[in-house]
Amino acid sequence: GAGVSQSPSNKVTEKGKDVELRCDPISGHTALYWYRQSLGQGLEFLIYFQGNSAPDKSGLPSDRFSAERTGGSVSTLTIQRTQQEDSAVYLCASSLLSINSGANVLTFGAGSRLTVL
Amino acid sequence: GQNIDQPTEMTATEGAIVQINCTYQTSGFNGLFWYQQHAGEAPTFLSYNVLDGLEEKGRFSSFLSRSKGYSYLLLKELQMKDSASYLCASSGTYKYIFGTGTRLKVLA
């Protein structure tokens, strides 16, 4: 597609429920990133995919968080048993090159705003 | 460790010049990026430095000193629409580390 698409744009859920957030990167972009941004804060790195592999999962806050990418394209971020502190905007970004390839500009999606009541 | 520091807030006047500083510590450094983020919107790419020196793109310039772990973003001829957060990001091994962002307010 023309840009990075994320869905849903807004999600309100009850504490303890599971949520799935989807990211559809720009066609042909091999690298995909998930970040979390809490209100008024910077971007917190969650996970990076090169193709379908995730070389770095160190940013995932707990074992309630998982992510996968299939076909080198769409990625889903799953949060199990959501907690109120999971409330944030979850941003997905993709890039054409691998991370070690220099001018590797990230293109961000509009984000998924998650509110856990 | 990996760390990015930048000021939290800055205020400047329309038509003026402002410099936003960023210091970083990143393993496997691959480059320094600046992104602009308007409230409620996704970050958008502004500039990139991998070698020491100044990169100029219209009203925006970015500088890098790798030996000092230091970068700055220079915005000239400020316009009201430049009011936004400016995120410094260091590219390292397998990840980009973003700073918390500098909220710039441009006053008339």
Side-chain angles (χ1 to χ4, degrees):
Chain A
V4 178
S5 298
Q6 291 189 246
S7 60
S9 55
N10 270 290
K11 176 73 176 178
V12 180
T13 190
E14 293 179 346
K15 178 181 170 181
K17 301 276 189 179
D18 296 353
V19 296
E20 235 181 46
L21 307 177
R22 175 189 167 106
C23 173
D24 201 343
I26 292 173
S27 179
H29 278 198
T30 59
L32 185 147
Y33 310 77
W34 282 99
Y35 285 87
R36 178 168 74 172
Q37 188 172 35
S38 301
L39 189 63
Q41 302 297 309
L43 274 64
E44 176 189 2
F45 170 79
L46 298 178
I47 190 168
Y48 158 69
F49 286 94
Q50 184 59 41
N52 292 335
S53 301
D56 189 349
K57 303 179 181 179
S58 63
L60 294 176
S62 74
D63 58 9
R64 296 186 295 105
F65 287 72
S66 63
E68 64 173 15
R69 189 179 185 196
T70 55
S73 181
V74 171
S75 176
T76 53
L77 177 69
T78 302
I79 309 172
Q80 295 178 309
R81 305 181 302 282
T82 52
Q83 303 293 313
Q84 288 182 332
E85 62 261 28
D86 299 334
S87 296
V89 175
Y90 290 81
L91 289 165
C92 175
S94 69
S95 63
L96 182 61
L97 305 173
S98 71
I99 193 163
N100 296 323
S101 300
N104 191 22
V105 176
L106 301 184
T107 302
F108 283 86
S112 292
R113 181 177 298 278
L114 174 66
T115 303
V116 182
L117 302 176
Chain B
Q2 305 194 75
N3 195 44
I4 302 265
D5 284 313
Q6 52 181 131
T8 305
E9 275 193 12
M10 298 183 72
T11 302
T13 306
E14 195 175 16
I17 298 173
V18 71
Q19 177 175 313
I20 303 174
N21 296 323
C22 169
T23 57
Y24 67 90
Q25 286 180 301
T26 309
S27 59
F29 179 76
N30 284 316
L32 196 290
F33 295 77
W34 285 94
Y35 286 81
Q36 181 190 59
Q37 186 177 28
H38 284 100
E41 298 182 11
T44 55
F45 170 74
L46 282 180
S47 73
Y48 163 76
N49 295 72
V50 67
L51 300 176
D52 290 355
L54 191 68
E55 292 284 337
E56 297 191 73
K57 291 175 75 173
R59 294 190 299 113
F60 296 84
S61 303
S62 57
F63 171 84
L64 176 67
S65 169
R66 288 171 296 170
S67 61
K68 295 181 179 176
Y70 168 70
S71 174
Y72 68 71
L73 179 70
L74 195 71
L75 293 80
K76 304 175 189 173
E77 301 167 17
L78 280 173
Q79 302 175 10
M80 300 299 289
K81 67 179 182 180
D82 297 329
S83 292
S85 284
Y86 292 85
L87 306 172
C88 173
S90 172
S91 169
T93 306
Y94 293 138
K95 67 181 70 168
Y96 291 86
I97 301 297
F98 281 81
T100 54
T102 299
R103 271 194 307 280
L104 175 66
K105 296 180 186 176
V106 180
L107 305 177

